[in-house]
Amino acid sequence: MLEKLEKDFNLHKEVIGSLPINNEKNKKHYIEEVQKIIDSYETTKDQIYQELQNRLNPYFEVPATDYSNEEKSIDSFAKALMYTSNLNTPYEKLKLDKIVFLLSGFASEDFNQINSKISSAINIFELSGINITSDDFNYTRFVNEYMYMFFKYRSDMQNENLKKSFENIYWKCPNIIMQLEFNLRFLYFKNEDKLKKHIQKNCKIMLSQFKDGEKNLIDDYAYLREKLENEKLNDKNNLIHEFVSGNLLIDNYSDDKVNTILDNLTLEKREDLITIIKKLKNTLEEYQNYLKYSKLIDTIKTLYNETLEKSFLEIRFKKIRKLEKKLFKLNKKTISSNKKTKVNKFELEAENIINEIKTIYDEIDENMFKVIIKQNLKDNSTIFKALLLSCQYYSLLAKHFDKTDEESLNKQINDLYYFTLNPNNNLINNTTILEEKDLATVIVNNYRIFGINLTKDMLEENNLKTLIDNLNTVIINYQLKTLNISSETLKNIESFKKIQEKTI
C-alpha cells in the first residue's frame, strides 16, 4: 500500500509539473487537475483511516478486567484476620478506638462528624446486644443533656433543635466533646465482658468454617492474594488495555531497552532468568516498603527496649474508676440541687475531677504503644509480627502517620496492613526486632548467587524506584511475548490515536 502511494505521488508530481500555466485557461486547468488529485487523496485517506479503524477496533474494544469482587474477598479475609487476632482487644476489634480518636480529632471540627461518630459507637454496642440510652451518657449533666436531644432526634441528625442544643451546651461547656469521648470509654469498660463474649462467639462461628481455624484463614488469604496477582500479571486483555489507554507506551518496552537493562543487571544469562527477575522485583518492593516504614520499625524497637512500670494500665485504670465514682456522685448532687451557688460548687469539683481523669488518660495514650509492644512482643519476634501488631491499633498508628484528614489516614493505615500481609514478603518475616541486620547487603549477596549484579548503591532509596521500574520493563516485555501481543500492532494503535487527535 505504501509503495503504491509513493508511486502514485511521484507520478502525480510529474504530471502536475508538466502542465503549462502560461495563461488563464491553462492556470484554470492546472487548478482543476490539482483539485482532482487532492480529492483522490482525500478519498484514499478516508479509506485508509477506515481500514485502520476496522483492524484496530477489536483492540480498542478490549475491556479492562474487573477484579473488584476478588479484591473485596481478599479485603474480607484481611478484616477477618484482624477480628480473630489475639493481638488486640474488643476495643480495637470493634473500632471503638478509631471512633474515639476521630471524635477527639477530625470530628471535633464538624458537627455532623461528631454525631456520625457517636452514632457509630452506639450502633456497635447495639449490634453487640447492648442497649444504650441517653441515661448511659451521664459523665456530666452537659453530656446527658445533649445525648437526651441526640436520641430524640437520632433519625434526623440535621434537625435544627439538635444543632441549637449543641451550640448552647458548647458555650457553657467547651469540653463537651472530650466528655463525650470519656463517656464512650467508660461505656466500653462497663460492658467489656459482654463485648468479649460477643466477639468470642463471632470468632468461633467465623473460624469454624475453616478446618484448621486461624491457620487456614491465613493460608486462604495468602492463596487468594497470590492467585489474584498471577491473574493480573497474565491478563492479556488488561495488558492490551493499558497500552490502548495510553498508560503504557510500547517504545518503553522494546527489546533494545530490555537488553540494555539486562546487560547492566545480569552477570550471566540463565533459562530461569525471568523467574529470578520477578522474585527480585518482589524483594525490592518489600525492601522499598521496609524503608518507607523504617521510622515506625525504629520506634517499635526503641519502645521495646525501654522500661515500663509494672501493671502500668491496671494502676491507672483503677485510678480512673475511683475518680469516675466520685464524679457520678457529684453529678447526682448537681442535678438534684436547685440552688445556683451549690450547682456552681459541684460543677467546679466535677471539672477538677475530669481534668484529673484527662491527665491519666493522656498518660495512658502516650504510653499505650509501649504497653502493647511489651505485652505482645519478645526478643525473637519478627518485624512482621511487630508491624502486624501495630496494624491492630488505629489510634496509635494515627499518631505516627501524617494526620491530614480521615480519608488519607485510613489509606496510610490500610497500605501498611496490606504490605504486612503480603505473602511474598521474606525480609520482614525472617528478621527479628532486635537484629541489626543490613538488609541491603543481604539482598545483594543473595541475588549475586543467582547471577544478578546488584550493588548497595542501587538499593539506596533514591535509586530503588528506577531499579524496580527497570525490572517491570523486563517483565512486561516478557509478558507481551508470552501472551502473543504484537508490538507492531501496539505501535499502530499509538499512531492511529495520534491521527484521531489531529482529525478531531
Side-chain angles (χ1 to χ4, degrees):
M1 182 65 159
L2 186 59
E3 288 181 7
K4 183 178 182 306
L5 284 172
E6 288 177 348
K7 186 177 179 182
D8 289 346
F9 179 78
N10 290 329
L11 180 61
H12 287 139
K13 192 175 176 183
E14 286 182 22
V15 170
I16 292 297
S18 65
L19 291 177
I21 51 173
N22 55 342
N23 55 50
E24 287 301 318
K25 183 179 178 181
N26 287 339
K27 285 180 182 179
K28 183 179 178 183
H29 177 67
Y30 179 87
I31 291 170
E32 288 172 351
E33 289 301 312
V34 169
Q35 189 58 52
K36 285 180 185 178
I37 293 171
I38 291 172
D39 290 343
S40 71
Y41 277 122
E42 285 291 338
T43 301
T44 302
K45 184 193 77 172
D46 291 341
Q47 289 172 345
I48 293 171
Y49 184 88
Q50 190 60 50
E51 178 63 24
L52 271 172
Q53 195 169 41
N54 291 340
R55 290 186 185 184
L56 299 177
N57 260 348
Y59 292 92
F60 285 111
E61 292 169 0
V62 169
T65 309
D66 182 9
Y67 289 107
S68 58
N69 288 335
E70 290 86 346
E71 287 167 350
K72 284 177 184 176
S73 294
I74 291 170
D75 186 50
S76 296
F77 272 82
K79 288 176 180 176
L81 283 169
M82 184 85 76
Y83 193 85
T84 57
S85 170
N86 61 0
L87 296 175
N88 58 15
T89 72
Y91 191 61
E92 291 78 35
K93 291 182 192 295
L94 296 171
K95 306 298 181 187
L96 285 167
D97 70 322
K98 178 179 179 180
I99 290 169
V100 167
F101 174 82
L102 294 175
L103 183 62
S104 63
F106 305 127
S108 63
E109 301 172 5
D110 186 287
F111 175 73
N112 293 327
Q113 284 296 314
I114 291 168
N115 286 332
S116 172
K117 299 309 173 192
I118 295 170
S119 183
S120 295
I122 293 170
N123 288 338
I124 287 169
F125 285 109
E126 290 178 342
L127 288 170
S128 303
I130 300 165
N131 187 40
I132 299 291
T133 70
S134 60
D135 292 337
D136 293 297
F137 287 89
N138 57 352
Y139 222 75
T140 65
R141 74 179 182 88
F142 299 110
V143 169
N144 185 259
E145 184 182 334
Y146 178 67
M147 291 308 294
Y148 172 81
M149 296 294 287
F150 179 92
F151 278 93
K152 184 177 180 179
Y153 296 105
R154 192 175 175 187
S155 59
D156 180 18
M157 291 294 184
Q158 300 301 317
N159 191 285
E160 284 301 316
N161 290 326
L162 185 61
K163 291 181 182 178
K164 287 178 182 176
S165 173
F166 183 82
E167 287 175 7
N168 290 335
I169 292 170
Y170 188 84
W171 287 115
K172 297 175 193 173
C173 178
N175 290 326
I176 179 67
I177 298 168
M178 180 186 74
Q179 293 173 11
L180 282 164
E181 173 198 336
F182 291 168
N183 206 136
L184 287 174
R185 293 195 193 214
F186 168 77
L187 284 175
Y188 167 75
F189 287 111
K190 180 183 176 182
N191 295 283
E192 188 173 25
D193 289 340
K194 290 180 182 177
L195 293 170
K196 281 181 179 177
K197 287 179 182 178
H198 170 74
I199 286 174
Q200 285 168 0
K201 180 182 175 183
N202 285 348
C203 287
K204 189 175 180 180
I205 293 169
M206 196 180 293
L207 294 175
S208 67
Q209 301 174 44
F210 301 90
K211 184 180 177 183
D212 294 320
E214 190 174 1
K215 180 184 181 300
N216 263 108
L217 183 58
I218 294 169
D219 290 345
D220 283 358
Y221 173 87
Y223 168 77
L224 286 175
R225 188 157 161 189
E226 285 181 323
K227 181 173 178 286
L228 179 58
E229 287 176 4
N230 286 329
E231 284 178 6
K232 285 182 176 180
L233 182 63
N234 295 298
D235 190 327
K236 184 173 182 177
N237 281 3
N238 256 17
L239 190 53
I240 291 172
H241 188 270
E242 285 294 291
F243 282 100
V244 171
S245 62
N247 292 332
L248 302 178
L249 300 175
I250 189 59
D251 284 345
N252 293 337
Y253 303 93
S254 67
D255 288 344
D256 287 343
K257 288 202 172 183
V258 168
N259 289 334
T260 301
I261 291 169
L262 291 178
D263 287 343
N264 292 328
L265 192 61
T266 55
L267 297 169
E268 57 179 297
K269 294 291 189 281
R270 300 167 54 123
E271 288 185 9
D272 61 345
L273 182 58
I274 191 62
T275 302
I276 296 168
I277 293 293
K278 289 176 182 177
K279 286 181 179 178
L280 175 58
K281 179 172 174 271
N282 287 334
T283 300
L284 295 182
E285 286 176 339
E286 180 187 2
Y287 183 63
Q288 189 177 44
N289 276 307
Y290 169 81
L291 294 177
K292 178 180 177 181
Y293 300 115
S294 59
K295 287 183 180 178
L296 175 61
I297 294 167
D298 289 342
T299 297
I300 293 169
K301 290 180 177 182
T302 300
L303 292 175
Y304 180 80
N305 287 314
E306 288 181 0
T307 57
L308 183 70
E309 176 188 351
K310 189 178 179 181
S311 302
F312 175 86
L313 284 182
E314 290 82 351
I315 291 169
R316 279 148 189 82
F317 281 133
K318 192 174 180 180
K319 287 181 182 177
I320 289 173
R321 299 291 86 84
K322 275 187 177 181
L323 288 168
E324 285 176 337
K325 282 182 181 179
K326 288 173 65 177
L327 178 65
F328 296 148
K329 284 181 183 179
L330 280 173
N331 288 343
K332 288 178 183 178
K333 292 179 182 179
T334 302
I335 293 168
S336 62
S337 175
N338 291 320
K339 293 183 180 180
K340 189 174 181 182
T341 53
K342 284 192 176 182
V343 169
N344 286 336
K345 175 187 172 183
F346 293 138
E347 283 182 5
L348 181 60
E349 286 184 49
E351 188 177 336
N352 289 334
I353 291 172
I354 289 171
N355 286 334
E356 285 186 65
I357 293 171
K358 181 183 183 304
T359 300
I360 299 171
Y361 267 130
D362 286 346
E363 190 181 4
I364 289 172
D365 292 343
E366 188 178 339
N367 288 277
M368 195 62 189
F369 208 175
K370 188 190 297 186
V371 171
I372 65 152
I373 288 169
K374 292 284 187 182
Q375 286 177 344
N376 294 281
L377 298 183
K378 298 178 180 178
D379 288 356
N380 62 347
S381 294
T382 61
I383 292 174
F384 161 76
K385 185 175 180 181
L387 293 179
L388 186 63
L389 174 65
S390 303
C391 292
Q392 319 287 314
Y393 294 82
Y394 184 95
S395 59
L396 300 181
L397 282 181
K399 291 171 184 175
H400 175 81
F401 289 128
D402 295 329
K403 301 185 289 291
T404 51
D405 57 74
E406 183 181 345
E407 186 179 349
S408 64
L409 185 53
N410 290 342
K411 185 180 183 308
Q412 289 179 81
I413 293 173
N414 289 338
D415 285 349
L416 171 62
Y417 191 41
Y418 192 76
F419 157 62
T420 304
L421 291 180
N422 191 333
N424 292 315
N425 286 342
N426 282 308
L427 299 172
I428 65 171
N429 295 352
N430 293 287
T431 306
T432 69
I433 55 171
L434 294 184
E435 279 184 279
E436 295 298 328
K437 190 186 290 185
D438 184 350
L439 294 182
T441 300
V442 172
I443 295 169
V444 169
N445 292 341
N446 181 67
Y447 281 96
R448 193 171 286 273
I449 296 170
F450 296 100
I452 302 296
N453 184 28
L454 287 179
T455 64
K456 286 186 68 174
D457 288 343
M458 295 164 73
L459 269 60
E460 287 182 2
E461 208 160 353
N462 294 336
N463 302 325
L464 202 51
K465 184 181 182 305
T466 301
L467 180 55
I468 292 171
D469 287 343
N470 285 341
L471 294 175
N472 202 45
T473 297
V474 175
I475 292 168
I476 289 177
N477 173 275
Y478 174 82
Q479 291 303 110
L480 288 171
K481 292 174 181 176
T482 303
L483 298 172
N484 294 318
I485 301 173
S486 167
S487 297
E488 196 60 41
T489 300
L490 295 179
K491 284 183 181 179
N492 289 338
I493 288 170
E494 288 179 11
S495 299
F496 183 67
K497 285 180 71 178
K498 290 177 182 177
I499 293 170
Q500 279 183 317
E501 289 169 7
K502 288 180 180 178
T503 303
I504 293 169

